[in-house]
Amino acid sequence: MTEIVGLGYLGLYAEKLDDWRTYGTEVLGLQNVSEKIGVESDTVLLRADEQSWRFAIHQGETGGAAYIGWEVANRRALDDLGDRLSAAGVTVEEDQACAQERRVEGLIRCVDPDGHRLEFFYGPHIPKYPFVSPRGVRFVTGDLGLGHVFFFVTDLDAAKEFYLGSLGFRLSDTIEFHGRKVHFLHVNPRHHSLAFVQNEELAPALGHFMLEVDDIDDVGRTLDEVDSRGVTLTETLGRHTNDRAISFFMKNPSGSEVEYGYDGRLVDDTTWRVTNYDATSLWGHHRDRPDTDSES
Ligand SMILES: [Fe+2]
């Protein structure tokens, strides 16, 4: 029961696509491949590595995620996952038109307990032209997939049953504080590809997504860009207790946040033990709003 191998891509809505064209490239260091791929002007495609794209920003009301793409290894894994979701009572649809649009070989989709659209795919397109970061950044992806996503969920038990039970994510650890327990889940050696916490005031919502770079200096340089461009910093530089990543958090033009970090810990399933922490960070990660000092 381990079909999902990584976070593949993320679709977001934004009211001002031009903000993403600047932010995505000049702050995050992603490559804008919209013209190269030839998408309509209501979409911005951003690339982070050898895959043709990793982020799609669509014109629309800001907030939430349009869709989250989870990668499986091949057709058989996709079929197995579809069968298992159906057996668990989840409505799953194969969507070849969507697969073409996402530039993948095959794709099925469903919604999670909070209504987020999930897409499971295999066979992403790898073009021959190289990834060129406009800021010279190298993202840590490959077998670890594309960083992680963090959700505020309305019903923790439902989220656990769906992601740990039906989808086969594996629990890495939890962080308990302010009466809430954040759950961190992995599908490959990356410490977590998904995290969620129940929060009635904020859910359902994408809290943040994380991008990992391979050089601490690129975290620092990005922090300089955030500072000089007036991007809203939401958590100062810090190191998380559980995945040990050194990172900071900032707003993105879709209203959610981006965690930009380095040195995330790897999980070895043969020796890993689940633990429970009582703080999100060893140091740093300070928020102006103390009541929401909550994310990892
Ligand atoms: Fe995070």
Side-chain angles (χ1 to χ4, degrees):
M1 201 172 86
T2 55
E3 292 95 353
I4 297 171
V5 295
L7 178 64
Y9 55 75
L10 193 54
L12 299 169
Y13 291 117
E15 283 160 20
K16 296 178 183 171
L17 290 186
D18 271 343
D19 287 355
W20 259 110
R21 289 184 181 101
T22 306
Y23 175 84
T25 54
E26 296 177 23
V27 178
L28 298 184
L30 299 165
Q31 182 181 12
N32 186 346
V33 287
S34 311
E35 282 184 26
K36 205 177 259 294
I37 290 180
V39 288
E40 302 290 323
S41 60
D42 61 354
T43 299
V44 176
L45 289 183
L46 298 166
R47 192 180 189 197
D49 56 11
E50 76 282 3
Q51 290 196 22
S52 56
W53 67 281
R54 289 285 198 172
F55 295 93
I57 319 298
H58 302 283
Q59 185 83 53
E61 206 169 299
T62 297
Y67 46 85
I68 301 107
W70 294 101
E71 185 173 7
V72 303
N74 50 41
R75 179 77 238 183
R76 173 174 284 190
L78 193 66
D79 290 342
D80 288 349
L81 181 61
D83 289 347
R84 202 148 41 72
L85 284 170
S86 297
V90 178
T91 304
V92 182
E93 285 186 58
E94 173 128 23
D95 190 337
Q96 203 48 43
C98 183
Q100 270 194 329
E101 199 175 310
R102 306 281 189 260
R103 289 167 175 76
V104 299
E105 291 296 300
L107 180 151
I108 60 175
R109 57 183 165 80
C110 71
V111 294
D112 79 357
D114 271 327
H116 291 116
R117 174 173 166 139
L118 305 185
E119 298 174 357
F120 306 99
F121 70 93
Y122 80 97
H125 177 59
I126 311 283
K128 73 172 184 180
Y129 55 85
F131 165 65
V132 181
S133 164
R135 286 203 33 236
V137 172
R138 286 181 303 270
F139 295 99
V140 178
T141 58
D143 291 344
L144 302 180
L146 178 67
H148 67 243
V149 284
F150 179 106
F151 282 95
F152 296 109
V153 301
T154 55
D155 183 336
L156 180 63
D157 289 336
K160 284 167 68 175
E161 187 180 330
F162 182 76
Y163 283 101
L164 291 164
S166 303
L167 286 180
F169 283 65
R170 303 183 288 285
L171 186 65
S172 305
D173 43 45
T174 52
I175 300 179
E176 194 168 3
F177 63 101
H178 296 176
R180 303 184 197 281
K181 193 176 266 190
V182 191
H183 286 66
F184 297 85
L185 284 57
H186 65 276
V187 289
N188 59 44
R190 187 186 289 283
H191 175 273
H192 61 284
S193 293
L194 172 70
F196 50 73
V197 65
Q198 182 166 318
N199 187 317
E200 297 76 10
E201 287 159 33
L202 301 174
L206 171 70
H208 71 263
F209 63 85
M210 192 263 195
L211 280 171
E212 183 175 350
V213 292
D214 72 349
D215 185 343
I216 187 64
D217 290 334
D218 283 323
V219 176
R221 290 187 187 104
T222 304
L223 204 46
D224 279 353
E225 291 293 330
V226 168
D227 184 49
S228 66
R229 291 168 184 276
V231 174
T232 303
L233 185 74
T234 50
E235 284 191 31
T236 60
L237 192 70
R239 191 192 276 272
H240 283 306
T241 50
N242 60 346
D243 75 355
R244 311 274 169 85
I246 296 178
S247 64
F248 68 88
F249 291 70
M250 60 181 144
K251 278 283 182 204
N252 68 54
S254 290
S256 52
E257 297 181 9
V258 175
E259 179 181 5
Y260 206 88
Y262 164 75
D263 203 21
R265 188 183 189 182
L266 299 182
V267 167
D268 177 352
D269 273 316
T270 61
T271 55
W272 188 257
R273 294 171 301 127
V274 171
T275 46
N276 176 38
Y277 294 83
D278 63 4
T280 58
S281 305
L282 295 171
W283 52 268
H285 286 145
H286 301 300
R287 274 188 183 253
D288 285 341
R289 297 165 291 151
D291 59 323
T292 55
D293 189 0
S294 65
E295 298 180 34
S296 186

